[in-house]
Amino acid sequence: MAAPGEATTEESYKREPCPWRILDDCGGAFAMGAIGGGLISAFKGWNTTPRGHQLQGMIRAVKIRGPLWGGQFAIWGAMFSTFDCTLVAIRDKEDPWNSIASGALTGGTLAIRQGPAAAAMGAAFGGFILAMIEGVQIAMMRASHDAAPPIQAQLPGTPLDASLPPPPPPHSSGAPPPSSGDSFSSGPLDGAGGTPQQPQWS
């Protein structure tokens, strides 16, 4: 059991369910690659086009290279999520080690056509990148959890803030409660004002 004030990794590491995780990561990676690659292509197209045709060259470069960047990122995201779901099914556990191993497997698989050395380098690079990402996410989650005020359990009948005074008793409107032995309370009332009559002394 985790110590008080410290969230467990299993509880704080929540993601989409596995069948839909592949589509979610694939679509997000495509959007990221298309936007980022489009910006890079626009910059290159602007610089490599002759003066006076820079806008047309920038638009042409974005149309040609933007979808290619998006497709490459989508392949990486789909493969990464597939490995991640496979590891979750095998280990029956959801933790950052699945993402780190999935990044290494994805990097090695994408570079396998260039030989074993390139595959090993790709696996090491993919695992390192995912380890850095997971480390930053864990550090941010811990910082946000430590910054949040602790939630105190409220006992029945206690005020929300212990520093506040307790609520006044029911009959504390400024006048003492009527006493059953008071001679004025049992006498007849005089007029509409409700003042008791003075006792008659013989």
Side-chain angles (χ1 to χ4, degrees), residues 13 15 21-22 25 74-86 98-104 106 126 130 134:
Y13 198 80
R15 296 184 63 190
R21 184 181 304 179
I22 300 175
D25 288 350
I75 292 173
W76 202 98
M79 190 173 295
F80 169 82
S81 298
T82 302
F83 282 124
D84 192 17
C85 290
T86 304
N98 292 336
S99 298
I100 296 173
S102 300
T106 302
L130 264 298
E134 293 296 328

Side-chain angles (χ1 to χ4, degrees), residues 26-95:
C26 182
F30 178 83
M32 185 185 305
I35 295 174
L39 293 175
I40 296 174
S41 301
F43 180 76
K44 289 183 177 180
W46 181 274
N47 289 335
T48 57
T49 305
R51 187 178 300 275
H53 303 279
Q54 293 175 333
L55 182 60
Q56 293 83 356
M58 181 180 66
I59 296 175
R60 188 183 305 111
V62 171
K63 288 182 178 179
I64 295 175
R65 300 296 301 175
L68 295 179
W69 280 87
Q72 293 175 358
F73 272 70
I75 292 173
W76 202 98
M79 190 173 295
F80 169 82
S81 298
T82 302
F83 282 124
D84 192 17
C85 290
T86 304
L87 292 175
V88 169
I90 293 174
R91 301 180 64 222
D92 195 16
K93 192 175 183 181
E94 187 86 28
D95 59 2

